[in-house]
Amino acid sequence: MIELTPSVVHVQALIDGATVGDVEQKFMTLLDPSGHEVVQIAGGASVTVPKGQLNSATYKSTRVNDQWERPAAAGTYHLRVAGNNLSHVVSLDIPAPTDFARQGALRGTPAHRLSRGS
């Protein structure tokens, strides 16, 4: 899930086959159009089942939550997911904050789902 608020880009992902310890600090990175990292303001990982239900099958199901400062400039940003010696990049078209407000996202809607870039 990818959400955009007036101040934050929030990404939540479910990783099947990885423990919390397997997920590196920089598992997900948001890059601006010129390839520079956007400042990450929060991040974390947790198991997806209650502690009492952890077993050999469920302990490798991890939820990752990361947040970055909302970019001031509109553009195509890139979310890079890396792990297990592999990397995948998703392009995200992020509107400027004023464009975001004009789209009505600030009038009662707490978050705006992003469209993936082409």
Side-chain angles (χ1 to χ4, degrees), residues 2 11 28-32 76-82 87-94 114-118:
I2 301 171
V11 177
M28 287 191 281
T29 307
L30 185 63
L31 304 171
D32 68 17
T76 300
Y77 289 75
H78 305 284
L79 179 66
R80 182 177 57 211
V81 180
S87 181
H88 182 73
V89 177
V90 177
S91 295
L92 305 171
D93 292 324
I94 298 180
L114 294 176
S115 63
R116 288 177 35 169
S118 24

Side-chain angles (χ1 to χ4, degrees), residues 22-31 37-40 64 66 68 80-83 86:
D22 292 336
V23 179
E24 299 173 15
Q25 183 72 17
K26 290 277 190 171
F27 175 74
M28 287 191 281
T29 307
L30 185 63
L31 304 171
E37 287 189 23
V38 176
V39 176
Q40 185 174 5
V64 178
D66 286 334
W68 294 268
R80 182 177 57 211
V81 180
L86 298 172

Side-chain angles (χ1 to χ4, degrees), residues 29-66:
T29 307
L30 185 63
L31 304 171
D32 68 17
S34 62
H36 296 98
E37 287 189 23
V38 176
V39 176
Q40 185 174 5
I41 56 175
S46 62
V47 294
T48 61
V49 297
K51 198 173 190 175
Q53 295 177 11
L54 283 175
N55 59 41
S56 62
T58 61
Y59 85 104
K60 284 194 168 189
S61 185
T62 302
R63 177 174 291 113
V64 178
N65 279 289
D66 286 334

